[in-house]
Amino acid sequence: MKNIYKVLIAFIGVIAVSCNADAVDERPVLNVVTAPEITAPATGQNIVLDVDKAGEEVLKFTWSAADYSMPVAVKYTVLIDKKGGDFSAAKTLQTALNSSTEVSVLGRELNQAAIDLGGKPEVAAEYEVKIKSDVSGGFTQISKGSITMTVTPYTGRVPYDFVDWYLVGDATVSGWDNNKGNQILFRSGTNANEYTFTGFFKKGYFKAIRDLGNWAPMYGGANGSLAYRGTDADADPASIEIPADGYYKFKMDVQKLTYTLEPYAAGAGAATYTTVGIIGDATAKGWDASTPMVKSTFNAHIWTLGVTSLNDGGMKFRANDAWDVSWGGKTAFSGGGTGDNIPVAKSKYVIYFNDLDGSYVMIPNQ
């Protein structure tokens, strides 16, 4: 009897496999038929990119639809390579989903692609563009034809491999709003894990957040130990207490997970200035005149400057449009406390400055 059951089970298995094989054989097979081809813009464009128009459209691409052996959802990718390149190292200019056959390209997107392909700022070079289609990452087709263009890029993205932290809490300028002009912490120019803020606090509590508008990542703490909250699902760390209105120096080390908070007695009697501005050959007015910054209404020693174009060169901060009081630093992006010219690479920056200790943060904004 056992042998009969074994034969029956084997027979049923053969039938099942046969049925599955038949089903696979009957599935429709997708084949590529015709590759897409670019229809606009015309070949031979000469484009000189402008850093002040980085967010504007510079090109609009359209192309003929790719043809496959059955109706499918097609993704299109606009590829760019150096003229004469084989497109094995091509860069993506833009991607169109849902079978759309047109995309717009912004100035900053074309500029970065040109730089990534070895283009030199302010130097014209020739590039080729092709269109690629695929279905769910497979069945790829690349246009046989291409268009050529000459592109003159501006100085591209300045590498900025740093993390910035902001204060939040009823002891700070923004209260418990996580996206309302929050006070930035000033990062050390020589230790990227060390952050300081010397200035006025109200009686209350505060924490530090990384991304404006979000509650994580976050640092809180107690008794000199930082507590990290990586995601919204993690426990909310304790707030750090300010016992009374006044000036304090807060310093945290995100590698050691420690902090210090001390009264800053010199803050109450420190000189205040009518104006503080940036000056130097990296600035629009050179060494001839200062570009004024905006003074905080919460703390008379904190100054900011919104998105500002700077050139390769050096700069300083100075008070009251004179050289009686000025501040500098030796390190790009953050630092302070010396009379040196701060090194600047051409870009747009958001700038923060503290006249109590001369600390600054300059964040490339591209």
Side-chain angles (χ1 to χ4, degrees):
M1 183 65 73
K2 290 182 180 179
N3 289 335
I4 293 174
Y5 284 139
K6 290 180 180 178
V7 172
L8 285 172
I9 291 171
F11 180 68
I12 292 168
V14 170
I15 292 174
V17 171
S18 299
C19 291
N20 289 339
D22 290 342
V24 170
D25 291 340
E26 292 172 2
R27 287 187 305 184
V29 177
L30 180 64
N31 293 312
V32 296
V33 179
T34 305
E37 296 295 338
I38 295 174
T39 55
T43 194
Q45 298 279 323
N46 183 15
I47 302 169
V48 179
L49 294 166
D50 185 345
V51 65
D52 293 321
K53 298 179 180 178
E56 298 180 12
E57 177 187 295
V58 290
L59 288 168
K60 185 171 185 177
F61 287 91
T62 61
W63 53 86
S64 60
D67 191 12
Y68 289 86
S69 58
M70 65 183 68
V72 287
V74 182
K75 182 180 81 172
Y76 295 98
T77 304
V78 181
L79 301 174
I80 185 170
D81 199 358
K82 294 178 292 186
K83 186 176 181 181
D86 61 5
F87 280 77
S88 61
K91 302 299 178 183
T92 296
L93 269 182
Q94 216 16 301
T95 299
L97 303 175
N98 301 321
S99 299
S100 175
T101 56
E102 65 177 36
V103 293
S104 294
V105 174
L106 304 182
R108 62 171 173 262
E109 294 168 338
L110 180 58
N111 189 80
Q112 194 59 45
I115 294 292
D116 289 344
L117 289 168
K120 304 297 183 184
E122 318 303 333
V123 177
E126 290 187 291
Y127 300 87
E128 287 185 80
V129 179
K130 292 188 175 187
I131 184 74
K132 179 182 78 171
S133 67
D134 68 76
V135 178
S136 299
F139 306 98
T140 299
Q141 301 186 85
I142 298 180
S143 58
K144 293 181 179 179
S146 65
I147 65 168
T148 61
M149 64 178 67
T150 301
V151 179
T152 304
Y154 56 82
T155 300
R157 186 180 302 128
V158 174
Y160 185 77
D161 301 321
F162 302 101
V163 176
D164 294 298
W165 293 90
Y166 301 83
L167 297 176
V168 65
D170 56 358
T172 73
V173 61
S174 58
W176 285 109
D177 192 321
N178 64 6
N179 195 9
K180 189 181 178 182
N182 299 65
Q183 174 62 54
I184 198 168
L185 286 163
F186 292 90
R187 186 181 58 254
S188 166
T190 55
N191 182 352
N193 297 307
E194 189 176 281
Y195 299 80
T196 303
F197 175 69
T198 302
F200 181 75
F201 288 86
K202 292 169 61 179
K203 174 181 169 59
Y205 297 86
F206 72 92
K207 299 180 183 182
I209 54 174
R210 189 188 71 184
D211 304 322
L212 294 176
N214 294 286
W215 292 107
M218 168 192 286
Y219 282 108
N223 302 317
S225 295
L226 282 180
Y228 180 65
R229 184 192 193 198
T231 70
D232 289 330
D234 295 331
D236 196 14
S239 299
I240 300 170
E241 183 178 7
I242 297 293
D245 289 5
Y247 285 84
Y248 295 83
K249 181 175 182 179
F250 171 70
K251 182 177 179 180
M252 70 178 192
D253 189 312
V254 298
Q255 183 179 50
K256 297 178 181 177
L257 291 179
T258 59
Y259 75 87
T260 57
L261 179 66
E262 301 171 345
Y264 185 72
T272 58
Y273 305 102
T274 303
T275 65
V276 165
I278 60 172
I279 190 169
D281 55 2
T283 73
K285 299 178 182 179
W287 289 107
D288 297 323
S290 300
T291 300
M293 303 184 75
V294 177
K295 181 192 289 191
S296 168
T297 57
F298 181 82
N299 184 336
H301 301 285
I302 299 299
W303 305 81
T304 59
L305 192 57
V307 180
T308 303
S309 294
L310 297 177
N311 297 310
D312 291 329
M315 60 163 266
K316 289 183 176 181
F317 299 91
R318 70 173 186 170
N320 300 334
D321 294 317
W323 285 109
D324 301 60
V325 180
S326 64
W327 304 264
K330 295 182 177 181
T331 48
F333 305 122
S334 66
T338 78
D340 302 275
N341 292 345
I342 300 165
V344 179
K346 184 177 179 179
S347 182
K348 292 183 178 181
Y349 293 85
V350 176
I351 305 171
Y352 304 85
F353 177 68
N354 185 346
D355 69 42
L356 284 177
D357 57 10
S359 55
Y360 58 87
V361 174
M362 301 171 60
I363 303 175
N365 185 288
Q366 302 165 96

